[in-house]
Amino acid sequence: MRFADITGHDELKARLVRGTDLGRVSHAQLFTGLSGAGTLPLAVAYAQYLNCRNRHDGDSCGVCPDCVQTAALAHPDLHIVLPVNKQGKKSGEAVLSDEFLPRFRELFSQTGGYFRPAEWYDRLDLGKTLKPMISAREADEIIRKLSFKSFGEGYKIMLIWLPEAMNDEAANKILKILEEPWERTIFLLVSERADLLLPTVLSRTQEVAVPRLSAGELESAAIASGCEAKRAHAAARLACGDLVALRELLAGVDDARRSEDFEMFRSLMRLSYNDRHLELIELADEAARMTRDRQREFLTNAARLLRESYVIHAGVAETSYLWGEEEEFCTKFAPFIGNDNIEPLIAEIESAQRQIAQNGNPTIVFTHFMLSVSKMIKRRQ
């Protein structure tokens, strides 16, 4: 994968290229940001550039053996670690990333590296109880692999996707090698939730912040895919800097989920307005029955709808990203979202997201969240 294959981020690409060309390559780098912003493709393109034999014009050549193997995630000096698990494993059995790499390569190839963790977890087919993770045995394997001599003359690269899935034992095992790796050994950590990493891991890495894509970059990507200009403009704004979300919007696969989230948001606000606490508790139970990924999606959409309502309340509705039922409801609801409650409301959403990510009891989390929202909406009456 070349930098040219990645949507947007021209300034960030140039910085990575410049650092490599000047020999200023940090031995442990942490790519942070949304999957849909391109964190994983950027890390792979960077790994390819690091080991390309014929770099030119600020990019890897794409045709040398190192480039071809890296693009396929099959380079002998590119080691990949990711959250895994499997049903029916035996007691004491080590479940390691290598067993699942063919599936991961297939997903990467199909999506160009733009996919959410949930899509990977679906391919693992773990049911409702098992959780993907990076185990202490995997950490031992990381150290073992990096102790070998490299196959080529370039860098040995350890790419860890979603390092926040490491348990504390695994994270602590790699601290020494993360701080003082062998010569020409590079760690590339790719994280969506860097706030969940141990401080000792964060302190040993150099952050490469991958921002959301601009609406213009997404619009260009939509038009390049054959989308009509007006629809591309609207979808790019709704996708909020996320290429995965843009693809879902254009394909229509996100419509049902967005509709469900909107219905729950509308119910939450109407029940809050009318001070109907028992029904709010029932709504919290409904939210608690969703998967954790869907719970996070709902909270993200709730934050989006609150922000858009505030934009309308502020008198700049022309900059709103809403249409249809969402626009109709939020226009009527906007008077109840103002300067005195927008920040506390968003803070409650962020708190609920953190608790869900940390495996908090969803019934308790959503009951507290919805009753708290009710008080803040009532404050505006």
Side-chain angles (χ1 to χ4, degrees):
M1 172 166 280
R2 303 176 71 236
F3 286 127
D5 299 325
I6 295 168
T7 301
H9 302 310
D10 291 342
E11 184 179 338
L12 178 53
K13 295 174 190 174
R15 191 165 77 242
L16 292 171
V17 166
R18 186 165 56 250
T20 303
D21 293 348
L22 293 174
R24 298 172 182 169
V25 180
S26 174
H27 65 268
Q29 301 181 50
L30 175 64
F31 286 71
T32 61
L34 288 175
S35 296
T39 47
L40 180 59
L42 267 170
V44 173
Y46 181 49
Q48 183 165 310
Y49 188 77
L50 285 169
N51 279 337
C52 177
R53 306 177 188 184
N54 303 303
R55 305 171 191 156
H56 60 83
D57 301 323
D59 212 338
S60 54
C61 70
V63 295
C64 71
D66 289 306
C67 282
V68 172
Q69 290 176 316
T70 302
L73 305 185
H75 194 289
D77 286 326
L78 173 64
H79 307 286
I80 300 173
V81 167
L82 51 144
V84 295
N85 213 330
K86 69 179 180 181
Q87 297 192 62
K89 64 179 179 181
K90 299 175 183 177
S91 177
E93 179 183 357
V95 182
L96 302 175
S97 299
D98 286 354
E99 179 182 347
F100 300 87
L101 278 181
R103 286 189 231 178
F104 190 75
R105 289 175 182 134
E106 180 182 39
L107 179 59
F108 187 92
S109 176
Q110 290 171 348
T111 61
Y114 291 88
F115 57 90
R116 295 193 179 98
E119 294 177 66
W120 169 241
Y121 299 158
D122 286 345
R123 299 214 173 191
L124 293 177
D125 190 25
L126 299 179
K128 294 184 178 180
T129 56
L130 283 180
K131 180 182 176 182
M133 62 181 296
I134 297 173
S135 67
R137 295 284 290 276
E138 188 83 73
D140 292 334
E141 189 69 4
I142 289 173
I143 297 169
R144 187 187 70 83
K145 286 179 177 178
L146 293 180
S147 68
F148 297 149
K149 185 178 179 181
S150 64
F151 284 82
E153 298 179 358
Y155 292 95
K156 288 186 293 183
I157 299 173
M158 176 59 67
L159 193 158
I160 304 178
W161 183 59
L162 303 183
E164 55 267 35
M166 286 190 291
N167 59 31
D168 289 355
E169 185 182 1
N172 284 318
K173 279 192 171 187
I174 67 167
L175 287 180
K176 181 172 176 56
I177 191 173
L178 195 62
E179 185 171 25
E180 298 177 357
W182 285 285
E183 186 179 2
R184 296 188 69 78
T185 297
I186 306 292
F187 277 89
L188 301 180
L189 281 62
V190 181
S191 174
E192 276 205 337
R193 293 294 309 276
D195 58 306
L196 299 180
L197 291 171
L198 292 179
T200 46
V201 172
L202 289 172
S203 66
R204 287 165 169 78
T205 60
Q206 175 181 301
E207 183 179 13
V208 180
V210 181
R212 289 175 182 267
L213 294 162
S214 70
E217 289 168 336
L218 289 179
E219 186 173 345
S220 297
I223 291 173
S225 71
C227 181
E228 181 265 331
K230 185 176 181 181
R231 188 179 177 213
H233 179 70
R237 297 177 71 192
L238 284 169
C240 298
D242 187 326
L243 186 61
V244 176
L246 176 75
R247 290 174 176 175
E248 290 176 341
L249 285 165
L250 296 179
V253 299
D254 194 39
D255 292 349
R257 293 202 303 268
R258 287 176 74 97
S259 179
E260 289 173 6
D261 289 347
F262 170 64
E263 286 300 326
M264 183 169 285
F265 174 83
R266 181 162 60 180
S267 296
L268 170 59
M269 296 307 155
R270 284 176 172 171
L271 292 172
S272 297
Y273 175 84
N274 290 298
D275 216 14
R276 293 160 68 173
H277 291 166
L278 290 178
E279 291 174 71
L280 279 170
I281 291 172
E282 292 177 2
L283 189 65
D285 288 339
E286 181 183 336
R289 289 192 293 270
M290 299 190 298
T291 66
R292 290 190 182 270
D293 286 325
R294 285 291 294 118
Q295 288 165 357
R296 287 195 289 267
E297 284 184 23
F298 162 68
L299 291 167
T300 298
N301 271 319
R304 174 180 63 85
L305 291 166
L306 282 171
R307 290 188 181 104
E308 294 303 319
S309 298
Y310 178 74
V311 165
I312 295 170
H313 175 82
V316 283
E318 65 276 8
T319 66
S320 170
Y321 290 10
L322 301 173
W323 64 40
E325 286 187 317
E326 289 185 348
E327 182 179 22
E328 181 182 353
F329 175 78
C330 289
T331 299
K332 295 177 182 177
F333 177 65
F336 299 93
I337 302 297
N339 291 335
D340 59 343
N341 66 355
I342 181 62
E343 290 186 3
L345 283 166
I346 296 298
E348 279 295 335
I349 289 176
E350 291 174 345
S351 175
Q353 286 176 321
R354 284 194 299 272
Q355 292 173 56
I356 292 299
Q358 293 166 358
N359 293 322
N361 184 309
T363 300
I364 296 174
V365 171
F366 277 102
T367 299
H368 173 83
F369 166 69
M370 291 187 178
L371 292 177
S372 297
V373 168
S374 177
K375 293 178 183 178
M376 294 177 196
I377 297 302
K378 188 176 181 181
R379 190 186 305 163
R380 291 288 303 169
Q381 296 183 43

